[in-house]
Every structure is written in structure tokens, then in C-alpha cells.
Amino acid sequence: MRRILIVGGGYAGFYAAWKLEKNLRHHEAEVTLVDPVIARHTDFPVDERGFVVVRPDLRVGTEAEPVADAWAAGDDAAVPDLASPVPGARTVPNAQHAYRQGKLLARNIIATLRGRAPKPYVHHSLGAIATLGLGRGIFQYQRLVLKGLPAWLMHRGYHVLAVPTWERKVRVLAVWLTQALFGRDILSLASMQHPRVAFVATPNDRGALSRESAPRSLGPGLSPRRGWRRSCRSFPPRGRSPRSGSPA
């Protein structure tokens, strides 16, 4: 059985691995996904910016000197931008290109395994979209501009469509709908960094901690460890009354 090693767990690597696992036949190839940074630790050809040189079909190398059984896509790959009128242009390293390159990479690998020719990567921009807060967004395609809630909904819908598998799409959409109905879950970052402090500090110390994300101390002469010991000593011995010292 052939083995396909995908190096890089970003958008391109994840979508390539997902598409391969979904479309490969049984025992046709084994897919392994790892996530180190290899651009500067291999003998792959790189350009002046340090990106891996690839051909339009996402194979590593040039037309004259290809690297056998090596493919690259995503942020670390210098993919030629065939849709640009500028000679020698490269695709921008962003999620839109990585998402589409990962899918094409999987299709091209499957095509070569089955004796077909791989296809070049060509993507024409569909415009720009961004959110400007909850319920506000902006979308632009050439002279068409949308603002406000419609653009925000388009942005959310685009990301739901980009999530792989229908199970994850439904999960993400369900979380967003519950947040719209009941609000977001609020959690203090300080409570995540120091979860033990809420049980050992005094109310004044907890108030000071909520105002500072990472305090160095909880007050004069009080640290989390000392506070914990002090709270333990404040309890009476087992079987004793706290006032009289007699058995309870």
C-alpha cells in the first residue's frame, strides 16, 4: 500500500488530508498528517522569501526540475497565481487560497494515483468580506458593496460552508444560534490562568485579581499556597466543636 505523508496541519494540510481520506479507495493509499515546520529543514527548493517552490499543479519544483512524489500548498508554498495579469505573481498566503489549494492538492494526488493528469490551481477572487463587530460587516465585489447585517450574515454563512463535514457544520451553526438567543458564555481570563485562587483567596483578593489578568501576589503576606494552608488550619480538628473543643 502506498503511503501519503502530509506535512503541515493548517488549512491546506487539513483539507487535503480530509479529502484524501474521503475519496481514496480502500487499500489504495494510507494518509498520515504531521505538523512540523519543514520549509527550512529540507532540501526542497525555496524562493527568495523562503517559500517552497511549486508548479501550478502544486507539485514541488519547477517545470524543468520537478521533485518526485512531493507536493506543497498553503502559506509555505510559492504557488503561481495564474489568475493574475502580473508575470511571476504568487498567490497570497491566506485562508482562502489554502482552503482551495488543499482540496485541489487532494484531487491531484488521487488523479496521479489513478493515471490521470493533475490540474493547475486557478482561483479568481470572489471579493472581500469582513465583520466589524456583532451584526455588522462589509462585503465588496468590484463595484458592489454591502454593509451592515446582510454582509455579516454572508460572512457567517461563508464560514459555515467552509467547515468540513455536515456534522461540524451543524455543530458550529447550533453554537452560533444559541449564542444569538442566550448570549455568549463569559469567562474571566484570570480564572483560567489561576483557577485555584477562587477557592483560597479572600473577596478583596479576588476583586484585585479580576482587575489584573496575571497578578504577582494576592495581597500582603498572602500567596496561593499560604492562603491554602491558612484556610486548612482554620477548620477545627475532626470530631471537635469549633468553640468548646468538645466532641460534636
Side-chain angles (χ1 to χ4, degrees):
M1 181 187 299
R2 296 187 179 184
R3 178 172 297 177
I4 301 174
L5 178 64
I6 299 179
V7 181
Y11 277 102
F14 174 79
Y15 279 101
W18 172 53
K19 282 294 184 180
L20 286 171
E21 289 284 355
K22 183 178 179 181
N23 297 319
L24 284 172
R25 301 191 184 102
H26 188 58
H27 294 309
E28 189 173 11
E30 178 183 352
V31 180
T32 304
L33 177 65
V34 295
D35 192 18
V37 179
I38 65 161
R40 300 181 181 179
H41 302 281
T42 65
D43 56 353
F44 286 162
V46 296
D47 63 3
E48 64 279 0
R49 299 176 298 173
F51 294 163
V52 179
V53 176
V54 300
R55 307 192 307 181
D57 59 1
L58 303 182
R59 291 186 179 185
V60 176
T62 61
E63 296 293 340
E65 297 181 356
V67 179
D69 299 328
W71 306 73
D75 295 351
D76 289 335
V79 181
D81 190 356
L82 301 182
S84 174
V86 180
R90 299 289 187 267
T91 58
V92 180
N94 58 18
Q96 293 185 8
H97 284 295
Y99 165 72
R100 291 171 174 84
Q101 290 171 9
K103 289 186 175 181
L104 178 63
L105 177 62
R107 291 195 297 266
N108 283 347
I109 292 177
I110 295 175
T112 56
L113 292 176
R114 299 174 183 176
R116 300 194 301 266
K119 297 181 179 180
Y121 175 76
V122 182
H123 172 64
H124 297 277
S125 177
L126 301 177
I129 190 170
T131 57
L132 305 174
L134 187 61
R136 298 179 180 179
I138 183 170
F139 168 77
Q140 180 181 7
Y141 176 69
Q142 296 181 357
R143 295 184 179 181
L144 176 63
V145 178
L146 294 178
K147 299 180 181 179
L149 183 61
W152 183 81
L153 292 175
M154 291 177 59
H155 181 272
R156 289 283 176 152
Y158 172 80
H159 281 280
V160 170
L161 293 177
V163 173
T165 74
W166 281 103
E167 176 192 358
R168 291 186 176 91
K169 294 179 193 293
V170 173
R171 287 179 180 272
V172 171
L173 186 60
V175 171
W176 288 351
L177 291 177
T178 53
Q179 288 182 354
L181 294 175
F182 305 106
R184 297 182 177 181
D185 292 335
I186 300 176
L187 179 62
S188 172
L189 294 179
S191 63
M192 297 178 61
Q193 298 172 358
H194 307 279
R196 187 179 177 187
V197 173
F199 300 94
V200 301
T202 63
N204 293 333
D205 296 325
R206 287 195 293 269
L209 185 61
S210 62
R211 293 189 296 268
E212 300 180 5
S213 60
R216 296 184 179 180
S217 64
L218 302 178
L222 179 63
S223 64
R225 182 172 297 181
R226 291 181 180 179
W228 179 78
R229 291 177 179 175
R230 188 175 301 175
S231 64
C232 289
R233 288 197 298 268
S234 64
F235 288 97
R238 182 177 298 178
R240 296 283 182 178
S241 172
R243 292 186 178 181
S244 61
S246 59

